[in-house]
Amino acid sequence: DVKVTQSSRYLVKRTGEKVFLECVQDMDHENMFWYRQDPGLGLRLIYFSYDVKMKEKGDIPEGYSVSREKKERFSLILESASTNQTSMYLCASSLDRNTDTQYFGPGTRLTVL
Amino acid sequence: AQSVAQPEDQVNVAEGNPLTVKCTYSVSGNPYLFWYVQYPNRGLQFLLKYITGDNLVKGSYGFEAEFNKSQTSFHLKKPSALVSDSALYFCAVRDSMDSNYQLIWGAGTKLIIKP
């Protein structure tokens, strides 16, 4: 089975702090994604990556950056956390660009005070 | 533009009754359609998908979905609901014409199964 892990289940940070969310997948998937999930809004794509050192902006990239130095790891960075970034963050991976099925990690619930 | 609509925020069903969670979509090309489920405090789990072929797709946990091209719908169904089916359900679509290969997600439907 595909396993996608996220570094923290719950995280509390203060406004202005730099926040790192880590995601690791163990199935040699090419594609990795970061979403945020908010009630009534479904999943919104922040960034995605189709290969190492490659990144593409999703629908809501403002205030975020990403890093993919190794194939199995995809990091989401909040350069200066703000209260409107309080949300559930979901990482996902999929095999390649021709495979649509995405596999999700358990999520990180981030609270910015 | 691509879009997905889940018209019901919440669906309530008695245990043992059939359930339907609705999804409609809009794409330019052919749709690739997905259903995912999210149990409390868990990540999303893949249930089933339609790419091509038979309009009735069977998936995990006894769920199935029917692709209806004329009505642009992909409703999720189960003949007999279980209390353990209570969860948040998401429909997603990808447009075969979209070179970005991204999924577009619905807002989610909360399914509550009452004993």
Side-chain angles (χ1 to χ4, degrees):
Chain A
D1 283 349
V2 176
K3 190 166 185 182
V4 180
T5 57
Q6 295 183 229
S7 51
S8 305
R9 291 300 303 274
Y10 300 94
L11 208 53
V12 180
K13 295 293 182 180
R14 296 204 175 274
T15 301
E17 281 192 79
K18 191 169 186 176
V19 181
F20 293 87
L21 302 182
E22 300 277 325
C23 176
V24 178
Q25 50 92 5
D26 67 355
M27 285 302 293
D28 202 35
H29 282 180
E30 291 184 3
N31 305 336
M32 296 189 76
F33 308 83
W34 274 108
Y35 294 94
R36 64 178 282 177
Q37 180 184 2
D38 300 289
L41 297 178
L43 275 68
R44 292 180 292 168
L45 183 63
I46 305 172
Y47 268 96
F48 60 101
S49 170
Y50 288 139
D51 202 351
V52 176
K53 296 191 184 295
M54 177 270 179
K55 60 184 178 183
E56 294 279 351
K57 292 180 179 179
D59 299 320
I60 52 164
E62 296 78 19
Y64 303 94
S65 62
V66 290
S67 172
R68 192 165 182 201
E69 296 296 317
K70 294 184 178 181
K71 190 174 185 179
E72 68 271 18
R73 188 179 298 269
F74 193 34
S75 302
L76 180 69
I77 303 153
L78 287 65
E79 295 291 341
S80 177
S82 62
T83 55
N84 63 12
Q85 292 178 310
T86 292
S87 186
M88 171 70 87
Y89 289 88
L90 297 173
C91 176
S93 70
S94 66
L95 180 61
D96 54 40
R97 295 185 76 147
N98 295 317
T99 305
D100 298 288
T101 303
Q102 295 183 16
Y103 298 88
F104 284 81
T108 295
R109 185 166 293 283
L110 173 67
T111 301
V112 183
L113 301 175
Chain B
Q2 305 166 51
S3 65
V4 175
Q6 293 182 241
E8 300 153 320
D9 292 336
Q10 183 169 309
V11 172
N12 298 299
V13 178
E15 187 177 26
N17 283 0
L19 69 87
T20 299
V21 183
K22 295 179 180 178
C23 173
T24 59
Y25 65 89
S26 175
V27 297
S28 301
N30 294 318
Y32 300 162
L33 293 152
F34 301 80
W35 276 103
Y36 283 78
V37 59
Q38 185 179 36
Y39 297 103
N41 299 314
R42 303 275 295 275
L44 274 69
Q45 296 179 33
F46 169 75
L47 272 181
L48 52 80
K49 67 180 177 182
Y50 171 83
I51 303 297
T52 187
D54 194 347
N55 289 344
L56 186 64
V57 180
K58 294 187 183 296
S60 307
Y61 312 120
F63 283 94
E64 59 188 26
E66 185 168 13
F67 170 61
N68 187 317
K69 189 172 183 178
S70 63
Q71 297 185 5
T72 61
S73 67
F74 190 58
H75 301 332
L76 182 69
K77 299 181 180 183
K78 188 173 182 181
S80 178
L82 300 173
V83 172
S84 57
D85 293 329
S86 298
L88 189 57
Y89 290 80
F90 289 95
C91 181
V93 67
R94 179 167 86 75
D95 189 340
S96 64
M97 303 288 287
D98 178 18
S99 59
N100 284 331
Y101 297 85
Q102 293 181 39
L103 292 182
I104 305 301
W105 296 83
T109 298
K110 187 175 184 180
L111 177 64
I112 298 176
I113 309 300
K114 298 183 178 180

